[in-house]
Amino acid sequence: MSERVDVLVVGGGMVGSAFALLLKQGSPALNVVVVDAERSEMPAPEANFGLRVSALNQSSEAVIAQAGCAQGYAQLRQCRFQHMQVWDADGTGQVRFSAADIQTTHLGTLVENAAVQALLMQALGDNLRVARVQSIQRLQQGWQVTLDDGSVIEPALLVGADGALSRVREAAGISTSVQDYGQHGLVCTVRTEKPHDATAWQRFLPEGPLAFLPLADAHQCSIVWTLPTTQAEAMLAASPSDFEQALAKAFENTLGAVELVGPRAAFPLVARHAERYCEPGLVLIGDAAHSIHPLAGQGVNLGFLDAASLAQELLAALQAGLPIGHTRALRKYSRQRRGHNALLLNSMTGFEWLFAQQSPAWRVLRNLGMRHFDNNRLLKQAVMSVAMKPAGVHTSLQ
Ligand SMILES: Cc1cc2nc3c(=O)[nH]c(=O)nc-3n(C[C@H](O)[C@H](O)[C@H](O)COP(=O)(O)OP(=O)(O)OC[C@H]3O[C@@H](n4cnc5c(N)ncnc54)[C@H](O)[C@@H]3O)c2cc1C
């Protein structure tokens, strides 16, 4: 016997969980089920920082608050960063952004992915089921999802929030444009000799950007070091002291000596974009729809905007008397989000290319460009206001 629900969200990552909570906030009567293969646990206060962290912008924080988790979020260990400093390894160009420049409290917040996911999953309560999706079938009308605990679910709307290698996307036959950067993002946590000064630091090297992201402890940073795959492998295999020296050197010893805290890991960097976001009765959000180079730390921030936009369109359609998951709402969501995500994806690819160029002409141009940008207060304020300030997020049925 299959179970009928209004909405089945496959993937209770940050994006899928936030989306389900927004929908329930707007229409508590909806029967919304989130399925995830794992339940994320809240890291213990004394545990090492997790390897996966995100720089959430204020729009994402607004979504988390709208999902009913503002209080819990404020209690997570986190670093609200006040400054961002970006510079070119190969010249004199640098850009420094400060929250004070746009009269805001902070430019973003560094939090552990596992903590945000655990917070949102806790808020889901009985709406979360821990099981793995085994198969997804297209029916004459709608979709049928079989879980590895034997249950079979037929939702009015199937939401794919199951990450970059989405099964939902595959089942729907939605193809993706793929760009393999031939790079890995090496991540780890380090203790730094000097305090990080609530600053997100990023140095652009010819091989790729190196980020030192400030954590709740003033002397610990989360590292995202973009390297060609073979170099990433070598750095993973290097002894801790060789690794620490190479990392400090690549960072020009900006925060003094560094010491590894815990393990290292590396993730392949591949940009993907789904050719379309919806089908009748099915829609994609978050990394299932797009995955982006981490150099600007935008991946999950785009996903939270997808979640807010989809919830908003579904609730507006319900209010207009349409059934949940009506194609008109899905198309409106897709129109709103696909162009915006494509713009960011292409910009990141362009940035990555620009900073990889070694010819003298490109080096001069890029350093002049950075200096001009850094000295132009109005231009900087305009860019920061768009990138950092909350976008309007309206999800309640009024
Ligand atoms: C090195 C690196 C650094 C990054 N830094 C940042 C940053 O600073 N800021 C930022 O915004 N983004 C960053 N990102 C990107 C960010 O991590 C992703 O965009 C984000 O995690 C995507 O969230 P999601 O919920 O869409 O997908 P995911 O986090 O991938 O969640 C998908 C969920 O689906 C579940 N799932 C998958 N398949 C199944 C199945 N068959 N059955 C049941 N459950 C399933 C999984 O268990 C998982 O919980 C970074 C990425 C990398 C690689």
Side-chain angles (χ1 to χ4, degrees):
M1 271 295 281
S2 39
E3 181 187 349
R4 287 176 195 275
V5 301
D6 292 318
V7 180
L8 174 64
V9 183
V10 177
M14 291 185 275
V15 176
S17 293
F19 163 74
L21 289 168
L22 290 174
L23 206 53
K24 287 293 284 181
Q25 291 277 331
S27 182
L30 279 177
N31 184 359
V32 180
V33 173
V34 178
V35 177
D36 201 292
E38 281 176 52
R39 183 187 294 275
S40 190
E41 299 297 341
M42 189 61 76
E46 65 283 1
N48 283 344
F49 289 102
L51 277 180
R52 298 294 303 269
V53 303
S54 294
L56 300 188
N57 62 23
Q58 290 190 31
S59 302
S60 297
E61 295 184 314
V63 172
I64 292 170
Q66 193 103 44
C69 295
Q71 229 181 343
Y73 178 74
Q75 285 161 10
L76 301 182
R77 46 183 190 178
Q78 56 181 261
C79 175
R80 284 181 143 206
F81 57 95
Q82 307 299 319
H83 316 282
M84 266 170 73
Q85 185 147 329
V86 178
W87 73 106
D88 189 347
D90 209 5
T92 52
Q94 71 156 21
V95 180
R96 188 167 169 90
F97 300 98
S98 286
D101 294 342
I102 50 167
Q103 289 85 45
T104 189
T105 50
H106 57 297
L107 294 181
T109 304
L110 256 296
V111 272
E112 294 158 275
N113 291 6
V116 178
Q117 198 173 341
L119 174 75
L120 298 171
M121 280 184 163
Q122 276 166 19
L124 282 171
D126 292 342
N127 295 102
L128 175 71
R129 287 198 207 162
V130 180
R132 184 172 289 281
V133 168
Q134 216 160 45
S135 65
I136 303 171
Q137 276 184 322
R138 192 192 292 263
L139 305 176
Q140 228 165 16
Q141 285 224 314
W143 300 87
Q144 186 181 69
V145 178
T146 306
L147 308 182
D148 65 358
D149 63 5
S151 38
V152 180
I153 306 179
E154 285 182 25
L157 175 65
L158 174 60
V159 179
D162 49 345
L165 302 175
S166 169
R167 289 281 298 271
V168 174
R169 188 182 68 215
E170 187 191 293
I174 298 177
S175 60
T176 51
S177 59
V178 179
Q179 181 173 6
D180 187 340
Y181 291 106
Q183 295 170 323
H184 272 60
L186 190 155
V187 295
C188 63
T189 306
V190 296
R191 190 168 288 114
T192 57
E193 191 182 350
K194 297 181 196 163
H196 54 53
D197 191 27
T199 302
W201 310 82
Q202 182 145 247
R203 183 173 189 231
F204 279 90
L205 292 138
E207 308 80 58
L210 166 60
F212 271 55
L213 305 169
L215 293 169
D217 177 325
H219 282 272
Q220 288 196 45
C221 287
S222 175
I223 305 300
V224 183
W225 192 359
T226 302
L227 288 166
T229 299
T230 47
Q231 282 186 41
E233 281 163 2
M235 279 295 114
L236 279 179
S239 70
S241 67
D242 286 351
F243 175 80
E244 288 161 358
Q245 278 178 27
L247 178 62
K249 187 169 168 225
F251 195 53
E252 293 182 310
N253 290 300
T254 304
L255 296 179
V258 301
E259 183 197 335
L260 263 174
V261 183
R264 290 160 269 180
F267 300 91
L269 300 183
V270 180
R272 291 189 180 82
H273 202 190
E275 64 165 19
R276 56 187 192 282
Y277 283 8
C278 61
E279 287 269 302
L282 178 148
V283 65
L284 304 175
I285 55 175
D287 271 25
H290 47 78
S291 45
I292 181 172
H293 198 290
L295 75 87
Q298 284 303 320
V300 79
N301 289 308
L302 296 180
F304 277 123
L305 288 180
D306 293 348
S309 163
L310 181 60
Q312 189 172 328
E313 292 309 329
L314 292 174
L315 292 170
L318 275 183
Q319 204 178 28
L322 296 172
I324 186 74
H326 192 276
T327 307
R328 194 194 298 172
L330 303 187
R331 290 218 180 111
K332 258 184 108 177
Y333 152 74
S334 175
R335 273 199 302 277
Q336 268 178 31
R337 296 299 309 146
R338 200 173 178 284
H340 181 243
N341 291 331
L343 186 69
L344 258 288
L345 259 128
N346 294 337
S347 317
M348 289 314 113
T349 302
F351 258 116
E352 207 281 322
W353 179 85
L354 178 64
F355 281 93
Q357 298 312 302
Q358 288 305 292
S359 83
W362 278 114
R363 271 158 43 187
V364 169
L365 264 181
R366 132 182 125 211
N367 279 284
L368 279 177
M370 285 177 95
R371 279 217 293 278
H372 174 69
F373 185 81
D374 198 46
N375 291 329
N376 190 327
R377 196 170 53 88
L378 288 178
L379 179 62
K380 234 160 85 170
Q381 279 175 344
V383 170
M384 284 168 72
S385 294
V386 172
M388 318 286 175
K389 289 241 171 141
V393 180
H394 308 288
T395 52
S396 51
L397 275 175
Q398 281 148 8

